[in-house]
Amino acid sequence: MDYITLNNGVKMPMQGFGVFQVPDSDVCEKAVADALSVGYRLIDTASVYGNEQAVGNAIRKSGIPREELFITTKAWISEMGYDGTLRAFDASLSRLGLDYIDLYLIHMPFGDYYGAWRAMEELYNAGRVRAIGVCNFEPDRLMDLCYNVKVLPAVNQVETHPYTQQTEAMKIMQSFGIQTEAWGPFAEGMNGLFTDPVLSAIGRKYGKTAAQVVLRWHLQRGVIAIPKSIHKERMVENFSITDFILSEEDMALIASMDTCRSLILDVKSPKETERLYSIDVPV
């Protein structure tokens, strides 16, 4: 597995496993257990997903040494603010059953995320989390945050896939030494990604699926990806992307697919903002 070194020296796996929209505890626990058995070591969850406990159960039962794992979770909008984020971190840590978290993220660029960041810096300096970062931060908000904090974000997890490539945003992230991580690396199947003629044609050249081509494309761009699946055979397929390299021509073809806009989540949309504020962390 390939690793990348974050701006604070911490090494993070580039192939991860996400559990967004897997709220059923038994299904989630089995999915994480299967992912770990396949070879994944980066597991990405969040308080608002309602499955941190299931993730923690799978981790404990796996028998894999804690130091070999890289666990990410996130603080939701309702958990923003200095005190709120400290409480949220402790709650997530308890649900996961862990002594520390590898990467803690602000989930959305809303609420008192500056107060939240002060709390996260404190947690980071105390060694309770190995790296801190953000999620869904557009370049303007990311830059503003960076200009006003003591510890720069190590990661910005954003919607990234062939139809939303974040090319210009990635340049901003790189200027601050911030690692791009892709959520929704398959565009949640939108635009018929799994049967896309361009991706499928490229895949046939290497004996790979369109999904494998997309994950390889992420890897070659230096982007961490966290695909989700509850099917072990698909997990194996998604993990098997290190035995081929996309040519410059193939990379250029995929680059031409960019729509330069969000397909899944537009955090600048008032309707989306209203929807996100209506969601809360499951009790």
Side-chain angles (χ1 to χ4, degrees):
M1 185 193 305
D2 289 336
Y3 285 76
I4 196 157
T5 302
L6 303 179
N7 58 17
N8 65 348
V10 169
K11 290 187 176 181
M12 182 174 180
M14 295 196 68
Q15 293 172 257
F17 182 76
V19 295
F20 175 54
Q21 293 179 331
V22 190
D24 183 278
S25 59
D26 291 338
V27 174
C28 183
E29 184 176 329
K30 184 179 185 304
V32 174
D34 285 343
L36 293 172
S37 71
V38 167
Y40 288 97
R41 293 297 179 264
L42 162 59
I43 306 295
D44 180 278
T45 184
S47 60
V48 79
Y49 297 169
N51 54 23
E52 288 174 310
Q53 187 170 348
V55 170
N57 290 341
I59 289 170
R60 285 189 298 278
K61 293 176 183 179
S62 73
I64 299 172
R66 175 65 181 92
E67 62 271 15
E68 294 183 14
L69 301 175
F70 194 101
I71 309 302
T72 300
T73 194
K74 314 175 191 77
W76 187 244
I77 300 168
S78 58
E79 298 172 318
M80 291 293 94
Y82 178 81
D83 292 331
T85 299
L86 289 178
R87 288 193 298 269
F89 182 86
D90 285 338
S92 286
L93 204 64
S94 177
R95 287 189 292 264
L96 286 163
L98 300 176
D99 295 325
Y100 66 91
I101 289 171
D102 295 280
L103 177 63
Y104 197 43
L105 304 177
I106 290 175
H107 206 151
M108 292 288 170
F110 300 118
D112 181 16
Y113 56 81
Y114 278 98
W117 193 260
R118 290 195 301 274
M120 290 166 66
E121 287 181 328
E122 185 174 295
L123 292 166
Y124 172 71
N125 289 328
R128 301 187 68 197
V129 59
R130 299 177 66 216
I132 54 177
V134 295
C135 190
N136 298 307
F137 272 57
E138 296 280 343
D140 56 342
R141 294 206 177 193
L142 182 66
M143 291 177 70
D144 186 56
L145 182 70
C146 289
Y147 288 139
N148 289 282
V149 297
K150 296 177 181 178
V151 179
L152 289 176
V155 170
N156 186 15
Q157 188 183 113
V158 290
E159 175 188 350
T160 313
H161 47 74
Y163 310 117
T164 305
Q165 299 189 14
Q166 302 283 5
T167 303
E168 293 305 311
M170 284 178 62
K171 292 178 182 178
I172 300 296
M173 294 182 223
Q174 289 166 358
S175 72
F176 287 97
I178 299 169
Q179 173 62 40
T180 305
E181 182 176 14
W183 65 255
F186 296 139
E188 296 185 353
M190 296 176 73
N191 287 9
L193 180 141
F194 297 114
T195 57
D196 184 281
V198 173
L199 299 173
S200 297
I202 293 173
R204 285 193 291 272
K205 292 170 54 177
Y206 303 95
K208 297 291 182 179
T209 65
Q212 288 172 311
V213 167
V214 170
L215 292 175
R216 182 68 212 182
W217 169 76
H218 282 298
L219 193 64
Q220 289 183 214
R221 293 180 85 213
V223 173
I224 297 165
I226 48 172
K228 177 200 73 178
S229 178
I230 60 173
H231 305 290
K232 189 172 183 178
E233 62 274 14
R234 185 61 58 80
M235 298 176 196
V236 172
E237 177 185 305
N238 291 343
F239 201 67
S240 304
I241 59 168
T242 58
D243 58 349
F244 73 108
I245 298 175
L246 296 172
S247 68
E248 291 185 9
E249 178 186 25
D250 295 330
M251 294 292 288
L253 278 173
I254 299 174
S256 71
M257 299 169 64
D258 194 6
T259 66
C260 298
R261 62 181 179 84
S262 169
L263 264 66
I264 305 171
L265 175 68
D266 181 3
V267 294
K268 292 190 175 183
S269 163
K271 287 186 178 180
E272 196 66 82
T273 301
E274 184 177 30
R275 183 186 72 84
L276 292 168
Y277 265 97
S278 73
I279 301 170
D280 205 350
V281 176
V283 177

